[in-house]
Amino acid sequence: NAGVTQTPKFQVLKTGQSMTLQCAQDMNHNSMYWYRQDPGMGLRLIYYSASEGTTDKGEVPNGYNVSRLNKREFSLRLESAAPSQTSVYFCASSRYGDTGELFFGEGSRLTVL
Amino acid sequence: QKEVEQDPGPLSVPEGAIVSLNCTYSNSAFQYFMWYRQYSRKGPELLMYTYSSGNKEDGRFTAQVDKSSKYISLFIRDSQPSDSATYLCAMSSPARGAGGTSYGKLTFGQGTILTVHP
């Protein structure tokens, strides 16, 4: 079972460049999430999509945009990358939006120079 | 003050030891309590899940929630080198976004790095 698949796994960008992180889940989950993980800061929610057709801001949305393309796919876009966006990004999904049982992808390591 | 506090460690124990990992929290609205395990360069995976106060056991793992003290624990018995990982506590309260849709608003601790040496 693939679960949650993220691409790319690694990316190096220059300041000001744009890129899109892709995420797909094959568990028929309704809710999907994007988190970033930084040393000493834990996991912080960037954006989430409680169900297909809806998206909402999380704790740290500035500098990011998202698209819930369909029930399976949820992408995260950096329009103009900044060094502060150097992080490990995780996509997650959950069947029941209220409870917080999340299934995570393996992460995308992004470095912005 | 952070909503969830977790000692980042690192914690190093010999194989076979009993490990105790803890988190405290300040938000009384939290209803669901979870422990995630994260191996190096991998995504977190759900290890234990509890709702409200009490204990839950799964093999060598026991999760404990004390809502009156706002304190949760994870105990690992007979620890193995394969248990070496970062353990993240997480807590959830139902929430509604700007669009009115509900979602699990998860708040994570910083994670405790555990090493079990042979």
Side-chain angles (χ1 to χ4, degrees):
Chain A
N1 292 336
V4 178
T5 303
Q6 292 182 231
T7 56
K9 287 186 168 42
F10 301 93
Q11 185 73 48
V12 178
L13 290 177
K14 294 181 179 178
T15 298
Q17 287 185 319
S18 62
M19 76 158 299
T20 299
L21 299 176
Q22 307 285 356
C23 175
Q25 52 93 6
D26 62 0
M27 296 174 283
N28 200 34
H29 286 171
N30 290 317
S31 303
M32 297 185 73
Y33 310 80
W34 276 105
Y35 284 86
R36 60 178 289 173
Q37 187 174 37
D38 303 290
M41 302 294 290
L43 281 157
R44 293 181 292 169
L45 182 64
I46 305 171
Y47 269 94
Y48 69 97
S49 171
S51 61
E52 186 179 356
T54 69
T55 60
D56 270 310
K57 295 177 181 179
E59 184 184 354
V60 288
N62 291 346
Y64 305 94
N65 284 302
V66 290
S67 295
R68 183 75 183 265
L69 305 170
N70 48 54
K71 191 171 185 179
R72 290 186 64 248
E73 298 172 288
F74 188 39
S75 63
L76 178 72
R77 182 161 179 84
L78 287 70
E79 290 291 352
S80 178
S84 61
Q85 294 178 304
T86 293
S87 186
V88 182
Y89 292 86
F90 289 99
C91 177
S93 69
S94 66
R95 181 188 303 176
Y96 306 113
D98 282 357
T99 62
E101 281 187 270
L102 302 184
F103 293 81
F104 285 85
E106 295 213 334
S108 298
R109 293 181 174 273
L110 175 65
T111 301
V112 182
L113 302 175
Chain B
Q1 183 189 2
K2 293 181 180 178
E3 275 191 301
V4 178
E5 297 277 0
Q6 181 177 9
D7 186 343
L11 187 60
S12 181
V13 301
E15 184 174 354
I18 296 175
V19 176
S20 172
L21 304 168
N22 311 294
C23 288
T24 59
Y25 64 95
S26 58
N27 187 348
S28 58
F30 289 138
Q31 296 182 12
Y32 302 94
F33 303 89
M34 286 145 275
W35 286 94
Y36 284 82
R37 178 175 61 194
Q38 185 176 20
Y39 290 116
S40 180
R41 296 185 174 269
K42 297 290 187 182
E45 56 178 342
L46 184 64
L47 189 61
M48 297 287 284
Y49 175 90
T50 54
Y51 173 68
S52 76
S53 287
N55 291 359
K56 183 175 183 178
E57 191 173 316
D58 184 2
R60 296 184 295 109
F61 298 91
T62 300
Q64 213 169 63
V65 174
D66 182 347
K67 291 185 77 175
S68 62
S69 301
K70 295 189 176 67
Y71 188 87
I72 71 169
S73 300
L74 177 71
F75 297 97
I76 307 174
R77 290 184 300 279
D78 187 26
S79 56
Q80 302 295 310
S82 58
D83 295 328
S84 298
T86 298
Y87 290 81
L88 301 148
C89 64
M91 304 173 192
S92 170
S93 58
R96 291 200 176 271
T101 51
S102 64
Y103 74 105
K105 186 178 185 299
L106 216 60
T107 302
F108 285 87
Q110 286 185 293
T112 300
I113 301 170
L114 171 68
T115 301
V116 181
H117 49 86

